[in-house]
């Protein structure tokens, strides 16, 4: 009888134990809520403050609902007190109220510290709760400095986020979507990133360490090396572009009093009722000087952050991404774009695809900002290799090449060298490359009448002693010469282009006929748009041919089945027989 009742008693005890756990958990959550209510109701319950802070400590592994309840209670407690709290470095006086407020300030700093740690904590699995943590932290940044923007707290947050191994991308995407629209947050982001980059040791970036002991506690799992540079690049490149501030500019500030201020007064002349929610300031026609000041400050911080970033040893994928976006996302917003000349010239000298990608930005500096780079055409000539016709960025490269060769002040030997180099490449490149080469040579012959002699170069009388041993029909062009003055292009001819008339691809053989016109008569000819051919491929050529409407279609018709690839009449004096026929 006893043996039969024991199992039922055990199951009863297990059931009561589960119920006790659920009841205890419910009671604990109600206890946390009660602690917060008591703290908000009276100063007599101020000792509840350390208890609530303990739930936010990542080492305590508190349940998510406890963390959320503690955050809501502590935020409600600290928000009205922030304008009255002293700075973190202030020392208390003998006044009990001063000692109390100094102690509250230390607890507020501890609260912020726990929020920063929670934002990158792996134990915080719920993304919704992580967003609540970041929102609360940004509210503390907004008013944490006696009602002004607390830049030191924001710097710690950016530092911890960038050094995070796994959560950096998630946090940055959240900041971009919700907070980077505020101009003061972007302003302090540039400052924080510049400080962070300056602290790095570029020779030992795989083992980066912070200077302060506090930051070691902020990021227990730290990114290093390439991951750290990826995080910095993500942070510096994902912000919205800087606005061109003007008379009708309207921008938003997370905290309107604390960024562009002077002696406690904002430099912006506000119209009555101009400031709205979130410090939104609307500019009037009288605020042009203030808009110019804000634009100048933003450009200065933007430039310092980017110039510091470009000194880092960038991984190849980041390097390419930077070069691909530099001319659109960075150069227009720099205070002095000429500062990029060293970085771009070094990149252009590397060769290969890096040089091709650096050409866009370098061309902008030369044409719009007065940069002088004597080796441009030498390096550009060296880039003309068969591999460039299948490169990913070939379309932009050929358009820039056409623009660089547009000036009528180019010497004849230089234009002839490029024309001859392109002509020689036409023998080995794909059909799409042949179309681009024909377009480029067409424009060169039209722009530079002095090199039209290359179209039909007749053999000159050999009166010089050095020319007595030279055989007729020899091409004097030196394809391996890197010095444009010594290529002997002016003594050669574009015989390679003549071979394209018999090209196996019909679009190439048709397009080359355009060079038979007299291109020296500029009134009757026009330049060819290189961009129409620069991104061509086998697929584009096939699509264009399929869309063409032809009246007569050539047919391969034989009265007798051919027995050989070539007939004997095609090559007089040669016979084509198989081994069996022999």
């Amino acid at each position: 009888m006893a043996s039969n009742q024991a199992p039922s008693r055990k199951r009863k005890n297990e059931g009561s134990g589960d119920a006790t756990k659920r009841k205890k958990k419910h009671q604990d959550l109600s206890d946390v809520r009660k602690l917060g209510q008591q703290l908000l109701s009276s100063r007599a319950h101020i000792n509840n403050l350390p208890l609530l802070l303990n739930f936010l400590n990542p080492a305590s592994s508190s349940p998510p609902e406890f963390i959320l309840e503690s955050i809501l209670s502590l935020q409600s407690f600290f928000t009205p007190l922030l304008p009255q709290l002293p700075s973190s470095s202030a020392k208390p006086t003998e006044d009990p109220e001063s000692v109390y407020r100094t102690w509250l300030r230390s607890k507020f700093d501890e609260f912020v510290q726990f929020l920063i740690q929670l934002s990158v904590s792996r134990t915080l699995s719920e993304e919704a709760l992580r967003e609540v943590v970041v929102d609360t932290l940004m509210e503390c940044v907004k008013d944490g400095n006696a009602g002004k923007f607390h830049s030191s707290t924001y710097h710690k947050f950016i530092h911890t986020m960038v050094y995070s191994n796994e959560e950096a991308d998630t946090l940055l995407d959240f900041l971009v979507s919700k907070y980077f629209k505020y101009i003061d947050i972007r302003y302090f982001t540039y400052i924080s990133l510049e400080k962070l980059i300056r602290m790095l040791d570029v020779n030992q970036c795989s083992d980066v360490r912070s200077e302060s002991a506090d930051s070691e506690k902020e990021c227990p799992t730290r990114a290093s090396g390439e991951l750290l540079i990826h995080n910095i690049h993500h942070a510096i490149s994902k912000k919205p572009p800087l606005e061109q501030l003007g008379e009708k500019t309207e921008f938003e500030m997370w905290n309107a009093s604390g960024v562009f201020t002077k002696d406690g007064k904002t430099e912006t002349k506000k119209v009555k009722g101009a400031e709205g929610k979130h410090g939104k300031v609307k500019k009037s026609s009288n605020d042009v000087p203030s808009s110019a000041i804000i634009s100048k400050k933003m450009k200065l911080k933007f430039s310092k952050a980017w110039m510091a970033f470009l000194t880092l040893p960038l991984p190849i994928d980041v390097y390419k991404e930077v070069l691909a976006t530099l001319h659109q996302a960075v150069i227009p917003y720099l205070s002095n774009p000429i500062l990029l000349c060293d970085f771009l010239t070094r990149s252009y000298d590397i060769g290969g695809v890096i040089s091709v990608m650096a050409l866009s930005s370098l061309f902008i500096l030369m044409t719009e900002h007065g940069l002088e780079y004597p080796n441009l055409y030498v390096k550009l000539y060296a880039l003309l290799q068969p591999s460039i016709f299948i490169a990913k960025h070939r379309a932009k490269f050929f358009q820039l090449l056409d623009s660089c060769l547009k000036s009528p002040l180019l010497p004849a030997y230089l234009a002839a060298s490029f024309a001859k180099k392109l002509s020689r490449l036409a023998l080995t490149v794909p059909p799409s490359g042949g179309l681009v080469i024909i377009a480029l040579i067409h424009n060169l012959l039209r722009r530079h009448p002095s090199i039209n002699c290359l179209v039909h170069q007749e053999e000159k009388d050999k009166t010089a002693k050095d020319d007595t041993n030279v055989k007729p029909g020899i091409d004097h062009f030196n394809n391996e010469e890197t010095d444009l003055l010594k290529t002997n292009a002016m003594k050669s001819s574009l015989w390679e282009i003549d071979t394209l008339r018999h090209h196996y691809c019909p679009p190439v053989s048709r397009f080359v006929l355009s060079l038979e016109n007299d291109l020296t008569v500029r009134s009757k000819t026009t330049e060819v748009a290189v961009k129409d051919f620069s991104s061509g491929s086998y697929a584009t050529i096939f699509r264009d041919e399929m869309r063409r409407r032809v009246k007569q279609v050539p047919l391969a018709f034989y009265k007798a089945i051919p027995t050989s690839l070539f007939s004997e009449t095609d090559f007089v004096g040669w016979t084509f027989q198989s081994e069996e026929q022999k």
Side-chain angles (χ1 to χ4, degrees):
M1 184 72 175
S3 60
N4 294 332
Q5 293 178 351
S8 62
R9 188 182 303 115
K10 184 177 180 181
R11 287 193 295 269
K12 183 177 181 180
N13 291 338
E14 289 178 353
S16 61
D18 294 339
T20 304
K21 289 180 181 179
R22 289 193 297 269
K23 184 177 181 181
K24 182 179 180 181
K25 182 176 181 180
H26 179 72
Q27 289 177 346
D28 288 345
L29 183 58
S30 63
D31 291 341
V32 174
R33 188 177 292 110
K34 184 177 180 180
L35 289 174
Q37 293 172 352
Q38 291 175 348
L39 179 64
L40 295 173
S41 63
S42 173
R43 184 184 289 191
H45 300 284
I46 193 62
N47 288 331
N48 291 357
L49 179 58
L51 299 178
L52 291 172
L53 284 173
N54 188 53
F55 290 116
L56 300 183
N57 190 344
S60 65
S61 301
S62 301
E65 55 270 17
F66 290 7
I67 295 176
L68 178 60
E69 192 66 38
S70 300
I71 288 176
L72 297 177
S73 300
L74 291 172
Q75 183 182 8
S76 301
F77 174 76
F78 280 118
T79 299
L81 297 177
L82 286 178
Q84 307 170 12
L85 296 182
S87 63
S88 301
S89 59
K91 296 182 179 180
T93 61
E94 296 180 357
D95 182 20
E97 185 66 22
S98 174
V99 174
Y100 172 70
R101 292 183 178 180
T102 304
W103 178 80
L104 284 181
R105 181 69 201 197
S106 65
K107 294 303 175 185
F108 173 76
D109 293 340
E110 188 177 349
F111 173 56
V112 170
Q113 181 72 19
F114 286 152
L115 289 176
I116 293 176
Q117 293 182 15
L118 284 172
S119 66
V120 297
S121 175
R122 296 180 180 178
T123 60
L124 207 63
S125 58
E126 298 182 9
E127 292 301 323
L129 181 57
R130 193 183 303 277
E131 292 181 4
V132 172
V133 171
V134 175
D135 288 336
T136 307
L137 180 59
M138 294 303 295
E139 289 292 337
C140 296
V141 168
K142 180 179 180 179
D143 301 317
N145 187 18
K148 297 181 180 180
F149 196 98
H150 200 186
S151 58
S152 61
T153 298
Y154 187 68
H155 174 70
K156 291 179 181 179
F157 174 50
I158 294 294
H159 182 279
T160 305
M161 178 180 60
V162 169
Y163 273 83
S164 173
N165 271 333
E166 300 178 354
E167 305 300 334
D169 290 343
T170 304
L171 290 176
L172 281 169
D173 291 339
F174 180 67
L175 286 177
V176 168
S177 63
K178 189 170 183 179
Y179 291 102
F180 279 175
K181 63 181 179 180
Y182 301 109
I183 195 168
D184 50 346
I185 290 181
R186 279 186 275 168
Y187 180 83
F188 283 109
T189 302
Y190 295 136
I191 295 177
S192 299
L193 289 175
E194 184 200 359
K195 289 180 179 179
L196 192 151
I197 295 169
R198 300 294 184 191
M199 291 168 57
L200 298 182
D201 184 359
V202 295
N203 295 323
Q204 298 177 349
C205 68
S206 61
D207 189 21
V208 183
R209 290 293 180 266
S210 176
E211 294 180 354
S212 62
D214 294 337
S215 61
E216 290 291 339
K217 299 177 182 178
E218 295 171 7
C219 39
T221 56
R222 302 166 61 85
S224 59
E226 293 188 4
L227 179 59
L228 175 60
I229 295 178
H230 275 87
N231 291 345
I232 296 175
H233 176 248
H234 190 181
I236 201 173
S237 63
K238 296 301 181 182
K239 288 181 289 299
L242 297 172
E243 299 88 353
Q244 299 294 340
L245 301 179
E247 295 183 1
K248 298 182 180 180
T249 301
E250 180 177 323
F251 58 88
E252 293 181 272
M253 301 174 100
W254 185 238
N255 187 328
S257 59
V259 183
F260 308 103
T261 58
K262 185 177 181 181
D263 298 331
K265 299 180 180 179
T266 56
E267 296 179 13
T268 304
K269 299 176 183 178
K270 299 177 185 176
V271 191
K272 185 176 181 180
E275 185 176 353
K277 188 178 180 181
H278 292 308
K280 189 173 184 178
V281 179
K282 297 180 180 179
K283 300 291 183 179
S284 68
S285 59
N286 300 325
D287 300 326
V288 175
S290 296
S291 298
I293 290 173
I294 293 175
S295 178
K296 184 177 180 180
K297 287 186 175 182
M298 287 296 295
K299 281 190 173 184
L300 183 61
K301 298 304 179 184
F302 178 84
S303 302
K304 287 184 176 181
W306 265 102
M307 295 310 299
F309 174 71
L310 294 179
T311 61
L312 297 176
L314 305 180
I316 189 64
D317 55 338
V318 176
Y319 204 148
K320 291 181 179 180
E321 189 172 350
V322 168
L323 290 175
T325 59
L326 204 62
H327 62 288
Q328 293 179 339
V330 179
I331 291 181
Y333 309 108
L334 291 177
S335 58
N336 185 13
I338 293 296
L339 295 174
L340 288 173
C341 65
D342 291 338
F343 172 77
L344 291 175
T345 52
R346 285 197 306 268
S347 303
Y348 192 62
D349 291 341
I350 291 176
V353 68
I354 298 296
S355 296
V356 174
M357 300 178 72
L359 183 60
S360 299
S361 301
L362 194 61
F363 183 76
I364 291 176
L365 293 188
M366 295 179 64
T367 56
E368 299 181 11
H369 301 282
L371 175 65
E372 295 183 2
Y373 185 55
N375 294 330
L376 172 69
Y377 290 100
V378 176
K379 300 295 183 183
L380 197 60
Y381 186 80
L383 289 176
L384 293 178
Q385 301 291 336
S387 59
I388 199 66
F389 291 86
I390 57 174
K392 180 180 179 181
H393 302 277
R394 64 184 183 276
K396 187 65 176 178
F397 170 76
F398 290 129
Q399 295 175 37
L400 290 173
L401 175 63
D402 184 59
S403 300
C404 292
L405 299 174
K406 187 174 291 187
S407 174
L409 301 179
L410 293 179
Y413 75 87
L414 191 147
S417 297
F418 274 93
K420 186 60 183 175
K421 182 75 171 181
L422 290 169
S423 179
R424 184 61 58 87
L425 287 171
L427 300 177
T428 56
V429 299
S432 57
L435 295 174
V436 178
I437 288 175
I438 295 172
L440 289 169
I441 292 180
H442 179 282
N443 293 341
L444 278 171
L445 294 174
R446 186 177 182 275
R447 296 167 186 165
H448 308 282
S450 58
I451 68 170
N452 270 268
C453 60
L454 299 179
V455 176
H456 183 68
Q457 188 84 280
E458 293 185 359
E459 196 74 22
K460 297 181 180 179
D461 295 336
K462 305 178 182 57
T463 57
K465 184 179 295 185
D466 296 338
D467 294 338
T468 56
N469 296 326
V470 178
K471 297 180 179 180
I474 297 298
D475 192 350
H476 299 280
F477 174 68
N478 187 355
N479 192 44
E480 305 300 327
E481 179 61 53
T482 58
D483 188 348
L484 299 178
L485 192 60
K486 300 178 181 180
T487 59
N488 294 327
M490 291 296 292
K491 298 180 181 180
S492 182
S493 65
L494 301 179
W495 60 266
E496 299 92 344
I497 298 299
D498 185 64
T499 64
L500 297 183
R501 293 192 302 168
H502 308 286
H503 199 278
Y504 72 90
C505 185
V508 178
S509 58
R510 285 196 304 265
F511 188 37
V512 77
L513 297 179
S514 63
L515 297 180
E516 295 183 357
N517 301 324
D518 188 3
L519 298 179
T520 58
V521 184
R522 299 176 61 87
S523 60
K524 296 182 179 180
T525 58
T526 58
E527 288 192 359
V528 177
V530 176
K531 65 179 180 181
D532 295 339
F533 305 94
S534 57
S535 58
S537 62
Y538 283 105
T540 58
I541 292 176
F542 181 78
R543 284 198 299 268
D544 292 340
E545 285 295 298
M546 291 296 293
R547 284 195 291 263
R548 288 184 71 246
R549 298 183 63 181
V550 292
K551 296 181 179 179
Q552 295 180 352
V553 181
L555 299 177
F557 176 73
Y558 300 96
K559 293 182 179 180
I561 299 175
T563 58
S564 61
L565 182 61
F566 302 105
S567 64
E568 294 183 0
T569 57
D570 292 339
F571 300 92
V572 180
W574 291 80
T575 58
F576 301 92
Q577 296 179 352
S578 63
E579 293 294 333
E580 296 178 355
Q581 291 174 340
K582 289 181 181 180

